Structure formats: structure tokens, C-alpha cells
Amino acid sequence: MPDSTRAGSGAGSGTRPVAVVLCFVLRTRAGVPQVLLGVKKTGFGRGKTVGVGGKVEPGESAAQAAVRELAEETGLVADPEDLERAGTVAFRFPASPASDMDCTVFLTPTAHGDAVESAEIAPLWCPVADLPFARMWDDSALWLPRLLAGERFAATVVLALDNQAVAEFRTAPLA
């Protein structure tokens, strides 16, 4: 699940899902492929290991939002041209429809600077082959490894009534 606050906060009537993004920076160190995640320090999901991202602001493209969120949360600088649109994840909350989110997921092997802690995220480089799923949202294990392995798809995650466990997961070809 994106590391933003609950999508319903400030989301208006909740009739349309909130547009959010995730941006996964990839690197290799000592021959080990790694991905940048972060430990959420505030708000909804505090203490969970999450992807870097958040809400798309008015007038922004999804790629621009991903670059902005990456810089705000980690200090890393990326160019929207270097982002690969790897997939989408529609998060649906039957118990709280105002929290529904439509997430665009980006990957990039190119980001400049050093990842630094912000008020919201403590950056964490993780081996792609050993992601910390026990500390992540339940849905992450269903789609993140597949995207990191090169699969491209549109996923739908329907949350259970507790708004945390996964009730349903499905994928379709990426449009």
C-alpha cells in the first residue's frame, strides 16, 4: 500500500479513487540487486516498511509526482524521463470507499544523491531477493516481487473489512 496518509483524508466525497504513485529506485551493490524502501515514521502505516510515494497533486503527471515524492521523502533526485511505468495497483477498501486509491508504480535505476531520512520516511535499501514482507502491508508480497522481476500488469487489491488484510487480488495486462 502506498506510504501516503489514508487516501480519504482530504479526498473529498470519495466517489473517485485518489491518484497516488510509488517510485522504486533500483541499484546493485556487491553484485546484489537492491530496491529502496522506507520505514514509515508518521500517520497511517507508521512503523511499516513501504514504498516511496504519495498523492498526485493537481496539475502534476504521475511521473512528476513520483519524482517530487522521491525528493521530498528521501532527498534523491530523478528525472521523469528515467522512470519506467511498471504497473498499476487499484486499492479498494469496501469498508471505507473514500480510501480507495489508484496507484501508478514506477521503477528507476537512475537517481542522484544519497538517500537521507525525512520527517516521513527512514530510507532502507533492501535486497530484491529478500524483501521484508513481515514488516510490509500484506498486499506487497502479491505484486511487488513480480514487478521487480520484470512482469508488467494492472493489479487490483480488494482489502478485507479490517482495511489491512487482502480479501481479493487479481491482475490484468497493463494498458
Side-chain angles (χ1 to χ4, degrees):
M1 191 172 315
D3 78 17
S4 62
T5 57
R6 294 289 298 264
S9 35
S13 67
T15 58
R16 294 180 56 196
V18 173
V20 298
V21 294
L22 288 171
C23 185
F24 294 99
V25 179
L26 306 170
R27 72 177 189 185
T28 300
R29 290 293 186 266
V32 177
Q34 297 177 334
V35 61
L36 181 65
L37 300 174
V39 177
K40 182 90 162 87
K41 295 170 51 178
T42 62
F44 184 65
R46 182 177 182 211
K48 291 208 180 272
T49 299
V50 297
V52 175
K55 293 179 185 177
V56 178
E57 298 295 336
E60 279 185 318
S61 69
Q64 290 168 330
V67 166
R68 177 185 50 77
E69 289 285 347
L70 182 66
E72 288 175 1
E73 294 182 359
T74 71
L76 291 174
V77 177
D79 186 322
E81 302 287 321
D82 293 333
L83 301 183
E84 176 192 356
R85 182 176 171 266
T88 62
V89 183
F91 294 98
R92 298 298 180 256
F93 296 83
S96 180
S99 297
D100 288 356
M101 294 178 268
D102 285 342
C103 181
T104 303
V105 181
F106 294 98
L107 304 177
T108 184
T110 308
H112 305 284
D114 294 317
V116 295
E117 190 167 331
S118 67
E120 192 169 349
I121 293 287
L124 178 67
W125 288 100
C126 299
V128 169
D130 189 24
L131 297 175
F133 292 120
R135 298 188 315 264
M136 298 175 78
W137 292 102
D138 291 349
D139 63 87
S140 299
L142 300 173
W143 58 268
L144 182 56
R146 294 172 60 184
L147 289 181
L148 294 175
E151 290 186 54
R152 301 296 176 252
F153 53 84
T156 300
V157 174
V158 179
L159 282 297
L161 295 179
D162 67 1
N163 286 334
Q164 294 192 36
V166 176
E168 180 181 344
F169 176 76
R170 60 184 180 271
T171 62
L174 185 60

